[in-house]
């Protein structure tokens, strides 16, 4: 449809421009979705690598720091530093093990037990409520 001067209707022109823009955006969003999935996987891996590195460095630093303080306090240099180094290395290895096995973030997290409980602290309650009585 044309108006008085022979130019197209502004609403039809707007509609056609919107369609072209949507088609162009749909094509880009499909490509971006494929690229986004691979970049999310890369970022997830980098995040895990940085977390592991941070766990190791922090454990070493704390262990060596406490070892140095032990050396200064007890005047036993360099044995406190050596002890702190090995304790820090062990703590770092334990933290990396926890991260690698996805054992949780909280200290003392034990995961589900063999009998299906989420934690092992209510075994006594389970024994009392299973219907069996103990000579009482």
């Amino acid at each position: 449809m044309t108006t008085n001067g022979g130019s197209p209707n502004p609403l039809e022109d707007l509609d056609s421009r919107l369609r072209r823009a949507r088609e162009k955006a749909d094509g880009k969003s499909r490509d971006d979705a494929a690229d986004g999935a691979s970049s999310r996987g890369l970022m997830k891996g980098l995040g895990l690598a940085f977390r592991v590195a941070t766990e190791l460095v922090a454990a070493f630093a704390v262990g060596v720091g406490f070892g140095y303080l032990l050396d200064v306090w007890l005047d036993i240099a360099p044995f406190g530093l050596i002890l702190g180094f090995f304790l820090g290395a062990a703590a770092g290895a334990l933290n990396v093990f926890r991260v690698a096995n996805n054992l949780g973030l909280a200290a003392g997290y034990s995961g589900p037990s063999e009998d299906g409980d989420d934690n092992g602290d209510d075994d006594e309650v389970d024994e009392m409520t299973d219907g069996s009585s103990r000579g009482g």
Side-chain angles (χ1 to χ4, degrees):
M1 275 179 113
T2 60
T3 56
N4 297 347
S7 63
N9 186 353
L11 291 177
E12 289 176 2
D13 183 44
L14 177 65
D15 186 42
S16 66
R17 286 188 294 164
L18 282 172
R19 280 191 195 128
R20 284 193 306 261
R22 285 183 185 139
E23 289 171 1
K24 189 175 180 181
D26 285 343
K28 283 186 180 179
S29 66
R30 288 186 200 126
D31 295 339
D32 290 344
D35 291 341
S38 64
S39 68
R40 277 192 298 269
L42 176 65
M43 295 306 287
K44 192 173 185 180
L46 282 174
L48 182 64
F50 280 123
R51 178 167 178 212
V52 166
T54 302
E55 295 279 353
L56 280 173
V57 170
F60 276 120
V62 169
V64 168
F66 278 129
Y68 177 74
L69 290 176
L70 191 65
D71 278 345
V72 170
W73 182 45
L74 298 177
D75 195 28
I76 57 171
F79 299 109
L81 190 64
I82 294 169
L83 178 69
F85 175 81
F86 285 115
L87 287 176
L94 179 64
N95 287 340
V96 168
F97 177 76
R98 284 181 176 172
V99 169
N101 288 320
N102 199 17
L103 291 179
L105 300 175
Y109 176 78
S110 63
S113 63
E114 291 179 11
D115 61 348
D117 289 340
D118 286 341
N119 53 19
D121 62 351
D122 40 292
D123 290 337
E124 297 164 357
V125 174
D126 292 342
E127 290 174 1
M128 291 189 305
T129 59
D130 66 357
S132 63
S133 61
R134 294 188 179 195

